[in-house]
Amino acid sequence: MRIRNMQRTLRINAFSCRSDHTIERCSIVRIGVIVLDNVLPQHMGMSVEVLIKNAASDCGEGPHWDDKTKTILFVDFGEKTVHRLNYATGEDEIKHFDDRVSFIVPRRSGGYMIGHGKALSHADWDSNVVTTLAEVVEPWNNTRFNDGECDASGRLWAGTLAEANALGVREPARGSLYSLNKDHKITKHEDKITLSNGMDWTADNKTMFYIDSEARQVWGYDFDVDAGSISNKRTVVDFGGAETMDTLGVPDGMTIDNNGHIWVTCYGVGKVVCFDPETGKSIRTVEFPEAKKTTSCCFGGPNMDELFVTSGTFNLTPEQVRNEQPLAGSLFRVTGLGVKGKHANVYEG
């Protein structure tokens, strides 16, 4: 099997997970760190680095800091791959799946939870066995899971969307927002979602934030962590109309810091913007001028004070990547922000 965009190979020892549970050998790589001295938007102590240049050949998504293994997990959606980057050694272990994986989060009992198609499954990293725990039934054949995260009680939340057609047109309002409890029961919380994306919760577990990218809004809900229910939907950040598309792009993934501020990845404009959800106003911006298709972000690192950002090359030609966005698809690390994130939750089921 061939893995693209891999340079400076250090060792050979990554895997491919297939539906028949056989294993193929691929390659592990490490890409040198590049400091972007020109990316200092608002905070002079801030530094933006490339951890893996052009890591994603299609769409890097869903970064997740795993406290237990001290690794950064993320997917390359169109390539059907999952990356596990060792923070200490810089080794990037890659697994190839038969289906496109939209997110990966750790499971307390071992292994990981992944979203693929209409299924939520357990993936055992060592044995390469993938076991479906639940599937959603939707009236359309072209819907699938997208982003997913766990709440403080260990439920897994994930939303669906309709695949765009050959012309890039996506049928509106075909997606839904679901949760998977510890007994593997699925509950639908929202419907008529067009492009389900990022979500996170406040430290006191009283508010859940959620993004429908098509609406270009971040919604807030009252959250009951014991019941696993949401209510009182409202808009906390509105990206506006067409007049802001060139400056704010489309809200995609998100995370939250220890001040309760939300960091929203702005697809199409190469930015992560920090907002105050109480006012809806932007506080600061991190820019990625050579990677416009920024997709998602998470806090991590030994002190939880580093922001990891994924990006993609989706719909870019090789010439556009080479001449206009040479860092498209890269995994970035932002340090010196002066804030920390909260430790990510894991699936307890």
Side-chain angles (χ1 to χ4, degrees):
M1 169 182 160
R2 183 172 64 89
I3 302 292
R4 289 173 282 175
N5 287 340
M6 296 219 166
Q7 306 168 16
R8 305 183 193 178
T9 301
L10 291 186
R11 293 182 1 196
I12 297 177
N13 188 27
F15 308 95
S16 170
C17 181
R18 298 162 47 183
S19 59
D20 60 2
H21 309 319
T22 59
I23 299 173
E24 296 176 357
R25 296 287 173 175
C26 304
S27 56
I28 285 182
V29 302
R30 182 182 183 183
I31 303 298
V33 170
I34 302 171
V35 179
L36 305 180
D37 293 323
N38 60 321
V39 186
L40 295 171
Q42 296 185 13
H43 186 72
M44 294 308 295
M46 186 182 70
S47 173
V48 179
E49 301 168 298
V50 176
L51 288 185
I52 308 178
K53 184 180 179 182
N54 308 129
S57 301
D58 177 70
C59 188
E61 266 282 10
H64 184 104
W65 171 259
D66 185 351
D67 277 322
K68 183 177 180 180
T69 61
K70 301 297 184 290
T71 56
I72 305 146
L73 304 160
F74 65 99
V75 306
D76 187 356
F77 178 71
E79 290 296 296
K80 304 179 183 178
T81 55
V82 172
H83 293 246
R84 186 168 74 172
L85 177 65
N86 187 299
Y87 184 88
T89 67
E91 292 176 356
D92 182 26
E93 190 175 2
I94 300 169
K95 296 213 175 194
H96 186 93
F97 291 77
D98 291 290
D99 199 0
R100 296 170 301 172
V101 177
S102 60
F103 70 84
I104 178 168
V105 296
R107 187 180 186 185
R108 178 74 67 190
S109 59
Y112 302 95
M113 292 297 296
I114 61 172
H116 60 108
K118 290 181 171 65
L120 300 174
S121 298
H122 172 256
D124 189 292
W125 195 266
D126 298 320
S127 69
N128 297 286
V129 174
V130 177
T131 305
T132 296
L133 301 185
E135 289 188 81
V136 295
V137 177
E138 295 186 322
W140 303 283
N141 293 328
N142 68 337
T143 56
R144 64 163 176 85
F145 277 110
N146 201 35
D147 280 14
E149 295 288 348
C150 294
D151 66 26
S153 77
R155 295 182 199 87
L156 175 62
W157 292 70
T160 58
L161 52 76
E163 294 274 25
N165 62 23
L167 299 177
V169 178
R170 190 185 311 277
E171 291 289 341
R174 288 192 172 187
S176 298
L177 175 64
Y178 299 91
S179 67
L180 180 72
N181 71 11
K182 301 173 189 178
D183 297 324
H184 308 162
K185 177 185 176 183
I186 283 187
T187 301
K188 181 190 288 190
H189 299 274
E190 284 274 27
D191 57 10
K192 296 182 173 57
I193 302 297
T194 298
L195 211 172
S196 181
N197 254 311
M199 62 194 77
D200 211 335
W201 294 262
T202 53
D204 62 8
N205 296 312
K206 292 183 178 181
T207 303
M208 177 180 176
F209 299 108
Y210 176 53
I211 292 172
D212 182 346
S213 295
E214 187 71 18
R216 297 187 73 223
Q217 293 178 338
V218 183
W219 297 325
Y221 299 84
D222 293 345
F223 181 64
D224 186 326
V225 67
D226 295 322
S229 61
I230 54 176
S231 61
N232 189 28
K233 176 181 175 182
R234 64 267 188 193
T235 299
V236 296
V237 177
D238 191 339
F239 272 46
E243 73 280 358
T244 63
M245 188 64 77
D246 289 341
T247 55
L248 284 177
V250 176
D252 199 331
M254 65 164 291
T255 191
I256 192 167
D257 67 26
N258 58 349
N259 295 319
H261 297 147
I262 56 176
W263 296 73
V264 181
T265 315
C266 303
Y267 185 84
V269 295
K271 295 179 181 178
V272 176
V273 179
C274 177
F275 292 94
D276 183 344
E278 295 296 322
T279 65
K281 303 297 183 182
S282 62
I283 299 171
R284 60 201 296 193
T285 300
V286 184
E287 297 182 349
F288 305 84
E290 296 182 339
K292 297 295 186 182
K293 295 178 181 288
T294 40
T295 55
S296 192
C297 59
C298 74
F299 281 100
N303 299 312
M304 295 301 297
D305 59 353
E306 303 174 23
L307 185 70
F308 300 101
V309 182
T310 49
S311 64
T313 63
F314 183 67
N315 281 343
L316 292 177
T317 66
E319 291 74 21
Q320 286 175 312
V321 173
R322 183 169 56 251
N323 299 324
E324 301 171 20
Q325 300 187 45
L327 295 180
S330 298
L331 174 67
F332 299 91
R333 174 174 62 186
V334 186
T335 56
L337 290 170
V339 296
K340 295 183 178 183
K342 58 187 178 66
H343 294 277
N345 303 312
V346 301
Y347 182 57
E348 300 285 356

